[in-house]
């Protein structure tokens, strides 16, 4: 018999170490981020693996504490650089439990509870989208979900392609010129080539233009190519724009194309009764991407691909493993496919546990309240910026992205210099560790891209942040003037 008597003490010591690291992480005020070169970071933490004897538990704990200290603190209110911010503690707990179990997901027998949890998460998300007879799967993130959606579309048009390859057929996909770069990578991976991913013009609000889409489809057909896929975005990276789903679906049905909605950022509006109309018509799409690790604050990564009909994932992705993993004789006992047969991955961790934990803790209403709160704060922020003569909103803000510039009234400067000033403001705030905010460009102007994702954002916080942006901008101008003397 194996002697496991030491395991509980070892695990207990590990948990105690984790608690100490977490206590240090939360006990002190720290910068939202640190800036510097790779060499400057190397001087602050020993990442070397050269010691053949390894480190002591105390040395390892110290190094991991330094990891948290030096990394950007994404849980802080001042973190606005990415499309997420904050900490979902029930999800963190679920993540720790999933890691402790080290559960794998490809068959029900090796992950029975996690399989049930994933099925429930997929079912609830499908209902929100309106896929009443759909299926889905958790994937590594929206990039993989978008890749799988192209595989689904390709298989729907040419089921033989799994075995025969393209055989001279040239397929063309269509996305907005504001679409995420993962679409280009998907075109590369599935082998249609990035030149056959057509970037359709967007309008002044950052939405794909249906007339331009029609023209692009007709042009591809005229060139002897085969249109097969329309990729829409629900919540673009820069503006948070939502492409017009109903009009795109109508074109897809006319020309026989697949419609996918990339809702990695914008899909949570479906939780809200007040804002779900931003995704009107999404139930008519063929597939849909979610990212629970964005606005829902679930720890990275937690992507989901959903389909409108059952069987589509299995048909497009399955193949292999029947002789040792997906046993044919077991189909009599469980006729529906195993989750591993729907996936392009083999080993797949139980990411569903953290999503399930987050949902279980607050329910659908909790997610809705977060969306509604942040949309209210966005409305306040826009009103405040419009009321300030030295701030200028430079792009539409239909969702939780606000792109604006600080334009000092006391000193009239040309547009190129205004853009440079706003980039410098973002960099200075990062250098001081006060806030980590990105910048972006739209219609030839570069401004501060404020992402409203943290649950604790308030009117007071946003007003104070604008005051600080103004102070930093003025200080940078003075520094610039002195440098010219």
């Amino acid at each position: 018999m194996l002697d496991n008597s030491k395991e509980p003490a070892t695990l207990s010591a590990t948990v105690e170490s984790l608690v100490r690291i977490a206590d240090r992480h939360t006990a002190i005020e720290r910068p939202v981020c640190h800036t510097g070169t790779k060499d400057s970071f190397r001087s602050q933490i020993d990442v070397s693996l050269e010691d053949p004897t390894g480190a002591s538990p105390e040395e390892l704990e110290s190094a991991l504490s330094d990891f948290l200290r030096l990394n950007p603190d994404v849980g802080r209110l001042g973190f606005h650089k990415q499309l997420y911010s904050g900490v979902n503690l029930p999800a963190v707990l679920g993540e720790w439990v999933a890691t402790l179990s080290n559960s794998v997901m490809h068959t029900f027998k090796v992950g029975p509870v996690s399989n049930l949890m994933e099925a429930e998460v997929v079912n609830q998300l499908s209902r929100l989208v309106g896929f009443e007879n759909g299926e889905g799967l958790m994937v590594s993130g929206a990039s993989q979900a978008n890749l799988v959606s192209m595989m689904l579309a390709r298989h729907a048009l040419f089921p033989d392609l799994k075995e025969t390859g393209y055989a001279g057929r040239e397929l063309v996909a269509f996305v907005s010129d504001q679409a995420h770069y993962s679409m280009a990578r998907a075109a590369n991976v599935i082998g249609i080539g990035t030149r056959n991913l057509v970037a359709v013009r967007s309008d002044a609000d950052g939405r794909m233009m249906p007339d331009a889409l029609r023209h692009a489809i007709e042009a591809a057909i005229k060139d002897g190519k085969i249109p097969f896929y329309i990729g829409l975005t629900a919540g673009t990276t820069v503006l948070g724009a939502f492409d017009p789903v109903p009009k795109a679906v109508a074109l897809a049905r006319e020309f026989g194309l697949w419609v996918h909605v990339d809702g990695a950022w914008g899909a949570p509006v479906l939780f809200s009764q007040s804002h779900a109309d931003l995704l009107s018509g999404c139930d008519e799409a063929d597939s849909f991407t979610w990212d629970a690790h964005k606005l829902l604050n679930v720890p990275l990564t937690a992507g989901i691909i959903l389909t409108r009909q059952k069987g589509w994932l299995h048909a497009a992705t399955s193949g292999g493993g029947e002789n040792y993993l997906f046993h044919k004789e077991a189909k009599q006992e469980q006729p529906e496919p195993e989750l591993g047969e729907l996936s392009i991955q083999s080993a797949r961790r139980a990411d569903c546990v953290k999503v399930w934990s987050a949902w279980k803790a607050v329910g659908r209403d909790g997610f809705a309240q977060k969306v509604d709160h942040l949309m209210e704060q966005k409305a306040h922020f826009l009103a405040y910026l419009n009321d300030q003569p030295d701030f200028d909103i430079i792009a539409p803000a239909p969702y939780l992205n606000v792109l604006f510039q600080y334009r000092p009234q006391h000193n009239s400067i040309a547009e190129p210099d205004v853009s440079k000033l706003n980039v410098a403001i973002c960099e200075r705030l990062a250098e001081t560790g006060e806030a980590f905010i990105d910048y972006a460009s739209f219609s030839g102007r570069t401004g501060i891209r404020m992402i409203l994702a943290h649950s604790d954002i308030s009117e007071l916080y946003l007003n104070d942040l604008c005051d600080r942006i103004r102070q930093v901008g003025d200080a940078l101008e003075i520094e610039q003037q002195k440098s010219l003397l």
Side-chain angles (χ1 to χ4, degrees):
M1 178 178 293
L2 294 174
D3 180 10
N4 295 323
S5 59
K6 294 183 179 180
E7 289 187 9
T10 301
L11 180 58
S12 176
T14 301
V15 171
E16 289 172 1
S17 181
L18 175 61
V19 170
R20 287 192 295 270
I21 291 171
D23 284 345
R24 292 190 201 104
H25 181 59
T26 57
I28 60 172
E29 284 294 321
R30 66 172 57 77
V32 174
C33 63
H34 294 266
T35 59
T37 65
K38 290 183 178 180
D39 285 341
S40 69
F41 276 92
R42 285 193 185 98
S43 68
Q44 298 178 72
I45 181 171
D46 180 10
V47 298
S48 170
L49 299 175
E50 294 296 329
D51 188 343
T53 62
S56 69
E58 293 76 17
E59 290 170 329
L60 180 59
E61 182 178 312
S62 176
L64 292 176
S65 292
D66 285 340
F67 169 87
L68 284 180
R69 178 177 60 84
L70 295 171
N71 247 29
D73 190 348
V74 303
R76 286 277 299 282
L77 190 52
F79 183 85
H80 303 287
K81 187 173 177 63
Q82 308 300 132
L83 298 179
Y84 63 91
S85 180
V87 178
N88 186 316
L89 290 178
V92 171
L93 180 60
E95 173 80 324
W96 289 343
V97 170
T99 300
L100 188 61
S101 75
N102 204 27
S103 176
V104 72
M105 295 293 298
H106 40 42
T107 67
F108 179 78
K109 288 185 176 180
V110 296
V113 179
S114 52
N115 268 242
L116 294 175
M117 287 179 170
E118 181 159 331
E120 179 63 7
V121 167
V122 165
N123 177 56
Q124 294 295 336
L125 293 177
S126 295
R127 288 170 59 186
L128 283 172
V129 174
F131 291 168
E132 298 297 334
N133 188 44
E135 67 182 358
L137 191 78
M138 292 205 64
V139 293
S140 63
S143 293
Q144 187 181 131
N146 292 337
L147 168 63
V148 172
S149 74
M150 278 197 191
M151 294 176 63
L152 289 162
R154 183 181 65 179
H155 186 81
L157 193 60
F158 296 114
D160 65 302
L161 199 144
K162 282 176 70 173
E163 297 182 3
T164 64
Y166 286 100
R169 295 171 289 204
E170 193 168 2
L171 274 60
V172 183
F174 305 88
V175 297
S176 159
D177 58 11
Q178 302 295 310
H180 192 259
Y181 65 83
S182 62
M183 291 295 188
R185 292 186 175 181
N188 172 25
V189 172
I190 72 166
I192 65 170
T194 55
R195 289 186 181 180
N196 283 325
L197 181 75
V198 177
V200 178
R201 290 197 316 277
S202 57
D203 60 20
D205 294 326
R207 294 157 49 94
M208 179 191 284
M209 299 173 62
D211 289 345
L213 175 59
R214 174 182 287 277
H215 177 76
I217 294 171
E218 291 174 343
I221 294 172
K222 185 178 179 180
D223 289 343
K225 299 180 181 181
I226 306 171
F228 80 111
Y229 177 92
I230 299 172
L232 305 176
T233 307
T236 56
T237 305
V238 175
L239 301 187
F242 287 71
D243 289 334
V245 179
K247 292 182 179 180
V249 168
L251 284 171
R253 301 297 176 254
E254 179 181 345
F255 289 99
L257 279 66
W258 184 278
V259 177
H260 175 70
V261 176
D262 177 4
W265 172 227
V269 298
L270 293 173
F271 285 106
S272 168
Q273 293 184 7
S274 302
H275 303 288
D277 58 345
L278 285 169
L279 263 169
S280 176
C282 66
D283 58 314
E284 295 297 321
D286 298 300
S287 55
F288 196 102
T289 287
W290 281 78
D291 256 358
H293 61 249
K294 288 189 168 68
L295 194 62
L296 303 186
N297 294 129
V298 171
L300 291 161
T301 58
I304 302 104
I305 176 72
L306 304 174
T307 64
R308 184 163 48 84
Q309 294 290 333
K310 284 185 171 64
W312 288 352
L313 276 170
H314 183 264
T317 64
S318 64
E322 291 85 357
N323 64 326
Y324 74 98
L325 187 59
F326 312 120
H327 299 293
K328 293 181 179 179
E329 60 272 16
K331 293 299 180 184
Q332 296 178 355
E333 178 182 338
Q334 181 179 308
E336 63 270 16
E338 298 278 11
L339 290 182
E341 295 179 276
L342 311 183
S343 174
I344 62 174
Q345 298 173 247
S346 180
R348 193 168 58 90
R349 72 190 303 273
D351 288 320
C352 57
V353 181
K354 57 192 175 188
V355 183
W356 182 92
S357 298
W359 199 314
K360 188 71 170 178
V362 302
R364 175 174 173 170
D365 288 350
F367 291 146
Q369 288 167 11
K370 177 174 184 178
V371 173
D372 290 341
H373 167 71
L374 290 175
M375 290 293 276
E376 289 172 3
Q377 295 305 310
K378 187 273 303 268
H380 158 77
F381 193 40
L382 294 178
Y384 178 85
L385 292 172
N386 277 321
D387 195 45
Q388 304 297 310
D390 50 0
F391 284 102
D392 187 15
I393 300 169
I394 64 174
Y399 191 38
L400 300 173
N401 314 40
V402 180
L403 188 62
F404 66 98
Q405 288 180 329
Y406 172 60
R407 301 180 66 90
Q409 295 296 294
H410 55 268
N411 183 14
S412 179
I413 56 179
E415 175 55 41
D417 291 325
V418 174
S419 292
K420 290 179 182 177
L421 174 62
N422 280 266
V423 171
I425 290 171
C426 293
E427 292 174 343
R428 178 61 58 86
L429 289 171
E431 288 169 3
T432 62
E434 297 170 77
F436 204 13
I437 311 176
D438 212 342
Y439 54 87
S441 300
F442 182 71
S443 295
R445 301 171 69 186
T446 299
I448 299 168
R449 187 193 71 155
M450 182 70 174
I451 300 298
L452 307 181
H454 199 293
S455 299
D456 293 339
I457 284 175
S458 66
E459 294 183 15
L460 178 61
Y461 169 77
L462 292 172
N463 294 352
D464 288 346
L465 181 62
C466 285
D467 287 342
R468 185 58 185 143
I469 288 171
R470 186 182 287 113
Q471 293 168 5
V472 171
D474 292 347
L476 286 168
E477 274 200 291
I478 293 172
E479 290 176 15
Q480 176 66 19
Q481 291 168 4
K482 287 182 177 180
S483 68
L484 297 176
L485 294 178

